[in-house]
Amino acid sequence: DAKTTQPTSMDCAEGRAANLPCNHSTISGNEYVYWYRQIHSQGPQYIIHGLKNNETNEMASLIITEDRKSSTLILPHATLRDTAVYYCIVRDAGGTSYGKLTFGQGTILTVHP
Amino acid sequence: DSGVTQTPKHLITATGQRVTLRCSPRSGDLSVYWYQQSLDQGLQFLIQYYNGEERAKGNILERFSAQQFPDLHSELNLSSLELGDSALYFCASSVDLDRGWNIQYFGAGTRLSVL
């Protein structure tokens, strides 16, 4: 699976949009981008995923650049409950790595009042 | 609530002992995954089962083993426990249909403390 690079930490004011970047410059054509978050030792929570088009769901939006080498997770109106570690994961749809998710260090997002 | 149930929530045991962690996947999910999260290693994939068969393996120690039963629940067995095995153990499940993407839903985890 392609390697991802994320900032170690970010801050955001409550009510403002949180934009979390992820670099995945070695991504290949059949690899999907997934975002998960983990709130204080709870189980990781799925947020969103995409291949090449921008995606939106009730939790967030995912913007993937045209060359697919980077993406941004957008939380449109961050709340204190969005404080968590956010993981950007690139995973091949098939092959021997089909099963696993490879978690990096993620971005610690802190939402301030 | 992800729909994935893990028991027990906490487990305290001594070095050299053996423990069993249990996971019930979401209804309809055929795949179960086990992950370990320790302070120094982060979240690490251990093993995946699909419909009772082992499908993928990560850096799982030989002292650890897992199985998935006909009712699709899974157990992770940890034996000859060492202090370094203290960690959070997460189970995840997915439908695992033949498609390009696959979402894993995680349980709340079992916190294992080896004293």
Side-chain angles (χ1 to χ4, degrees):
Chain A
D1 297 335
K3 181 178 168 57
T4 61
T5 303
Q6 299 178 250
T8 302
S9 63
M10 294 183 65
D11 292 321
C12 178
E14 190 176 20
R16 302 297 295 269
N19 298 283
L20 290 87
C22 179
N23 182 289
H24 31 79
S25 58
T26 60
I27 194 170
S28 61
N30 60 345
E31 288 183 314
Y32 282 75
V33 180
Y34 295 78
W35 284 83
Y36 281 76
R37 73 181 182 183
Q38 188 174 23
I39 300 172
H40 188 54
S41 297
Q42 296 178 19
Q45 179 187 23
Y46 165 79
I47 301 173
I48 199 167
H49 75 282
L51 183 61
K52 53 185 176 182
N53 298 319
N54 298 337
E55 303 288 345
T56 296
N57 63 20
E58 65 280 3
M59 289 184 68
S61 294
L62 174 60
I63 308 298
I64 303 175
T65 58
E66 195 169 340
D67 63 7
R68 304 209 321 124
K69 292 185 177 182
S70 66
S71 61
T72 301
L73 177 74
I74 301 172
L75 308 178
H77 305 287
T79 71
L80 299 179
R81 288 177 295 179
D82 292 322
T83 293
V85 181
Y86 287 77
Y87 297 98
C88 169
I89 300 166
V90 171
R91 193 175 70 85
D92 197 339
T96 57
S97 63
Y98 180 76
K100 67 178 182 179
L101 293 174
T102 301
F103 289 83
Q105 294 306 306
T107 296
I108 301 170
L109 175 69
T110 303
V111 181
H112 298 284
Chain B
D1 183 7
S2 67
V4 178
T5 304
Q6 288 189 248
T7 56
K9 285 186 168 48
H10 302 279
L11 203 47
I12 301 174
T13 188
T15 54
Q17 295 299 304
R18 172 189 170 96
V19 297
T20 298
L21 312 183
R22 182 188 170 100
C23 170
S24 294
R26 297 188 321 153
S27 177
D29 284 0
L30 298 178
S31 266
V32 170
Y33 312 77
W34 287 97
Y35 291 82
Q36 179 193 54
Q37 185 172 34
S38 57
L39 282 175
D40 56 345
Q41 292 290 324
L43 265 160
Q44 301 280 320
F45 168 75
L46 295 178
I47 198 164
Q48 177 201 1
Y49 277 80
Y50 173 77
N51 205 20
E53 300 290 328
E54 181 184 306
R55 191 174 203 182
K57 215 168 187 177
N59 294 325
I60 187 169
L61 298 173
E62 285 191 12
R63 301 183 285 108
F64 296 1
S65 65
Q67 55 183 326
Q68 186 179 27
F69 295 86
D71 67 352
L72 300 178
H73 91 271
S74 177
E75 292 180 356
L76 179 67
N77 299 296
L78 315 177
S79 62
S80 302
L81 285 168
E82 302 175 358
L83 296 177
D85 298 326
S86 295
L88 277 166
Y89 291 84
F90 292 105
C91 168
S93 74
S94 69
V95 173
D96 212 35
L97 297 175
D98 183 17
R99 60 188 176 199
W101 52 272
N102 180 292
I103 298 170
Q104 295 180 26
Y105 294 91
F106 285 76
T110 293
R111 182 177 293 277
L112 174 66
S113 299
V114 182
L115 306 179

